[in-house]
Amino acid sequence: RSWQLQVELSGERTRRQFSLDEAAGTIPSRRDHIRVGAEAVHTAHRLQPGVGLHYFYLSEQGYTGRNLDEIADIRRQEPTLSGHFTLPLAQAVTLRPAIYLGAATIDQSYSESDDDDHRGFIGKLALPFEILLSRKDNAILTLAPTFYLHKAAFGGGNLQLHWPM
């Protein structure tokens, strides 16, 4: 067996009332979200290349937790195609570059800031470096910078430590 298929489905339907300031009363908030994805990886190849199809939907209104007292109205639909491979760099260091290409419809408005809408191409290049800290414990440190292709800009990054207990 040389191909591995993974399918993922997650979602959320939440209704809440937030009381941020006694004088302002409560703020009704709702969040509807779904994420669907399928990915195939060629496990018999030394680089383990993979491709995936993903869909993300979000509709959120009210307090989103972004800034105190900021009310938002967010609607996002993002179908995406992805590709990745694994590149061993040293005995304990691996680079897993991935590219994400899609067409997004994003309508976002915030009470305290400018609207942030986007329609059309979105792209992201992720360059996660995985460093094996302990083979015995399967402990891994990941440094993952990302770059936006549709904005030609640095997209941020994160640092993760996975140390199973």
Side-chain angles (χ1 to χ4, degrees):
R1 174 175 124 145
S2 61
W3 285 92
Q4 178 183 8
L5 180 64
Q6 181 178 353
V7 178
E8 182 180 353
L9 172 65
S10 64
E12 175 184 354
R13 180 176 169 84
T14 303
R15 305 294 184 263
R16 294 183 179 153
Q17 297 284 331
F18 288 98
S19 180
L20 302 176
D21 181 353
E22 289 182 22
T26 61
I27 300 169
S29 295
R30 70 168 186 76
R31 178 180 171 89
D32 296 318
H33 155 257
I34 190 162
R35 181 184 307 263
V36 180
E39 184 176 88
V41 177
H42 190 334
T43 57
H45 191 279
R46 75 175 186 85
L47 296 179
Q48 297 188 350
V51 297
L53 289 171
H54 316 273
Y55 179 76
F56 176 77
Y57 169 83
L58 173 66
S59 177
E60 188 170 29
Q61 288 181 313
Y63 175 65
T64 63
R66 184 171 169 227
N67 287 321
L68 193 60
D69 294 335
E70 185 170 66
I71 308 303
D73 185 1
I74 302 168
R75 288 183 178 72
R76 299 177 74 112
Q77 294 184 53
E78 300 176 29
T80 306
L81 174 67
S82 69
H84 63 86
F85 63 93
T86 301
L87 185 62
L89 299 178
Q91 186 172 351
V93 180
T94 303
L95 174 62
R96 298 186 190 279
I99 190 165
Y100 302 89
L101 305 172
T105 302
I106 302 170
D107 296 312
Q108 300 181 131
S109 61
Y110 301 96
S111 60
E112 300 295 323
S113 60
D114 294 334
D115 294 350
D116 191 13
D117 297 342
H118 180 82
R119 284 185 173 64
F121 171 74
I122 56 171
K124 181 170 77 169
L125 175 65
L127 299 171
F129 290 87
E130 294 181 357
I131 302 164
L132 183 61
L133 299 177
S134 170
R135 190 171 307 282
K136 178 181 143 251
D137 296 326
N138 196 27
I140 299 171
L141 178 68
T142 304
L143 173 61
T146 60
F147 302 90
Y148 291 127
L149 302 175
H150 60 288
K151 297 179 183 180
F154 180 64
N158 64 58
L159 182 65
Q160 300 174 18
L161 175 62
H162 174 76
W163 201 301
M165 299 285 174

